[in-house]
């Protein structure tokens, strides 16, 4: 585990995950995580290979997008964990990710939980998208953990609006924010994050 000082000098290049997660998690047996600066294609021979970007935001120049017509934004409580899990599962079906209501409730019990970083997009009386963020007080790091918009509501600027609102909330207490995502994700989340001011070129290779 690297020092906090080393992490803060280059958060996205130092670790593939936020500092608070690196303190708690260990790399599973059979998995190797390699920064692009040290990666060689030969490392992937005979192994599954996926790439994840990691981006940084200094919480300056946050956009203020207008709300898309017919969509409102506001806090979303862990009491709606079942609804949140349903939205997440529909949006990540392509990658096989599935979460349970209990898992979502568990995120709210973590020490990095901040209620103002759980935001929903609402239309036609229901939840159509959400962003779930976290805050590590030791590192002063805000993290976008989950961002999703139901397929039928994409292309309206909802994801950008959710992300910008989460960043604006983080600015009140965080020194910076990070986010990561799969480079080959067909929904192209990297474009959303860059539209909100995230920067960087760090890519991490996951080999199994």
């Amino acid at each position: 585990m690297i020092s906090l000082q080393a992490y803060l000098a280059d958060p996205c290049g130092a670790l593939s995950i936020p500092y608070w997660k690196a303190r708690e998690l260990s790399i599973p047996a059979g998995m190797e995580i390699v920064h692009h600066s040290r990666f060689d294609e030969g490392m992937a021979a005979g192994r599954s290979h996926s790439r994840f970007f990691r981006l940084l935001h200094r919480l300056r120049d946050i956009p203020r997008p207008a709300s898309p017509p017919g969509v409102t934004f506001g806090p979303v409580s862990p009491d709606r964990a079942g609804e949140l899990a349903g939205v997440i599962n529909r949006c990540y079906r392509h990658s096989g990710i599935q979460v349970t209501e209990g898992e979502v409730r568990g995120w709210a019990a973590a020490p990095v939980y901040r209620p103002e970083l759980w935001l929903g997009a609402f239309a036609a009386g229901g939840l159509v998208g959400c962003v779930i963020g976290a805050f590590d007080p030791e590192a002063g790091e805000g993290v976008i953990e989950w961002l999703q918009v139901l397929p039928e509501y994409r292309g309206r600027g909802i994801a950008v609006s959710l992300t910008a609102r989460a960043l604006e909330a983080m600015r009140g207490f965080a020194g910076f924010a990070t986010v990561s995502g799969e480079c080959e994700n067909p929904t192209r989340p990297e474009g959303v994050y860059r539209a909100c001011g995230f920067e960087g070129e760090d890519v991490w290779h996951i080999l199994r």
Side-chain angles (χ1 to χ4, degrees), residues 174-194:
F176 66 99
T178 60
V179 70
S180 64
E182 189 177 12
C183 293
E184 282 73 37
N185 188 325
T187 64
R188 303 180 67 182
E190 185 175 354
V192 170
Y193 300 131
R194 292 193 181 276

Side-chain angles (χ1 to χ4, degrees), residues 10-206:
D10 182 18
C12 297
L15 289 173
S16 63
I17 55 177
Y19 187 75
W20 73 271
K21 287 187 177 180
R23 294 196 308 263
E24 298 181 1
L25 302 177
S26 57
I27 298 175
M31 176 185 290
E32 185 177 5
I33 303 175
V34 183
H35 189 262
H36 72 267
S37 62
R38 301 184 297 275
F39 178 74
D40 180 272
E41 289 295 339
M43 295 178 177
R47 308 162 84 179
S48 68
H49 176 207
S50 53
R51 301 184 308 130
F52 288 80
F53 61 82
R54 193 145 191 259
L55 304 175
L56 178 72
H57 202 299
R58 290 298 181 184
L59 300 177
R60 299 185 292 267
D61 301 321
I62 299 170
R64 296 179 179 273
S67 295
V71 179
T72 59
F73 298 88
V76 60
S77 166
D79 291 340
R80 302 180 73 162
E83 194 174 358
L84 286 165
V87 171
I88 291 170
N89 292 341
R90 277 195 63 192
C91 293
Y92 285 89
R93 193 171 291 159
H94 66 278
S95 61
I97 292 175
Q98 295 285 288
V99 299
T100 67
E101 179 178 347
E103 286 174 317
V104 176
R105 289 187 184 277
W107 301 338
V112 293
Y113 169 66
R114 290 291 294 245
E116 57 268 64
L117 300 182
W118 286 41
L119 301 170
F122 304 90
L127 184 69
V128 300
C130 54
V131 62
I132 296 177
F135 173 64
D136 174 14
E138 181 179 2
E141 178 179 10
V143 184
I144 301 292
E145 294 280 3
W146 295 90
L147 173 68
Q148 47 280 317
V149 175
L150 293 178
E152 60 268 32
Y153 284 91
R154 292 173 187 162
R156 305 186 191 185
I158 296 174
V160 169
S161 292
L162 283 166
T163 304
R165 283 168 167 79
L167 292 171
E168 191 62 45
M170 288 177 186
R171 180 151 58 179
F173 44 79
F176 66 99
T178 60
V179 70
S180 64
E182 189 177 12
C183 293
E184 282 73 37
N185 188 325
T187 64
R188 303 180 67 182
E190 185 175 354
V192 170
Y193 300 131
R194 292 193 181 276
C196 290
F198 278 93
E199 299 177 321
E201 302 299 331
D202 291 287
V203 173
W204 290 85
H205 298 258
I206 313 299

